[in-house]
Amino acid sequence: MKRVMQWIAAVLLAAGLAGCAGVKPEAYSSQTPVLDLARYFTGTIDGWGMVQDRSGTVLRRFHVVIEARWDGDTGILDESFDWSDGRKEKRVWTVRKGAGGRYTGTAGDVVGEAAGVAAGNALQWVYVLKLPEDQGGWQVDVDDWMYLVDEATLLNRSTINKFGIRFADITIGFRKR
C-alpha cells in the first residue's frame, strides 16, 4: 500500500509540474508580422478591453488611448484609461529595447522593473503591479502576452496572479490610428 501511495504522489507531482510549464516566446519565432515594440507603439493607439474574474464574469470594461514615442532604444507609452464605471486612470511606461528581442520597462504602479521577450509576432511581458488602495493595494503578478495580427492590430491577454493563484484576466484589442 505504501508503494502505491508513493506512486500516486509521484504521478500527481509530475502532473503538477507539467501544468507549470508554459509556452515560451520562442515558440512564435517563425510567426509574422514580426512584433517590434518601437515600430508598433509609435503614434496614437486605441485599445478596447475588459477585466474578467476567475469565473469569466466581466467586472469592468475600458477604452485606452496610448500616445507613444521613441528616442533610439527608449520609448514612452503614455496610457489614458476610461473605465466603464466612470473612473479615469493614467499609466506612463518607459520601455527600453535591449539585445535579442529583450525589453525592460518601468511605470509608476509597477514594482521594480518589467521584463519582456519578443519572438516572431509575440511578446511576453512580466511584472508586479501595485493595485490602487481602493482595490486592496495588493501587489499582483502580471503575465502579459501580446500578439501582432497585422501592422495595425495587436491583441493582448494578461493573467493576474497572487500567491500563484489566477484571479483575473485582461483582454485588449489595440488598433493604430
Side-chain angles (χ1 to χ4, degrees), residues 83-163:
W83 291 89
S84 56
D85 59 8
R87 174 185 229 133
K88 295 187 181 303
E89 290 180 347
K90 191 120 169 116
R91 176 178 297 121
V92 179
W93 283 98
T94 300
V95 178
R96 289 179 184 78
K97 184 177 183 177
R102 301 211 177 271
Y103 293 88
T104 58
T106 56
D109 55 355
V110 171
V111 178
E113 194 170 67
V117 177
N121 73 328
L123 173 122
Q124 182 183 26
W125 189 240
V126 294
Y127 55 96
V128 175
L129 181 70
K130 183 170 186 338
L131 297 176
E133 291 303 320
D134 65 344
Q135 295 176 18
W138 293 89
Q139 291 184 11
V140 296
D141 299 315
V142 180
D143 187 6
D144 201 355
W145 281 86
M146 298 178 195
Y147 304 93
L148 189 61
V149 176
D150 58 41
E151 294 302 322
T153 310
L154 181 87
L155 297 178
N156 183 286
R157 172 107 169 134
S158 302
T159 57
I160 311 299
N161 298 287
K162 182 70 180 170
F163 305 120

Side-chain angles (χ1 to χ4, degrees), residues 3 24 34 66 81 85 91 161 171:
R3 191 176 199 115
K24 301 290 183 205
V34 171
I66 302 173
F81 292 86
D85 59 8
R91 176 178 297 121
N161 298 287
T171 306

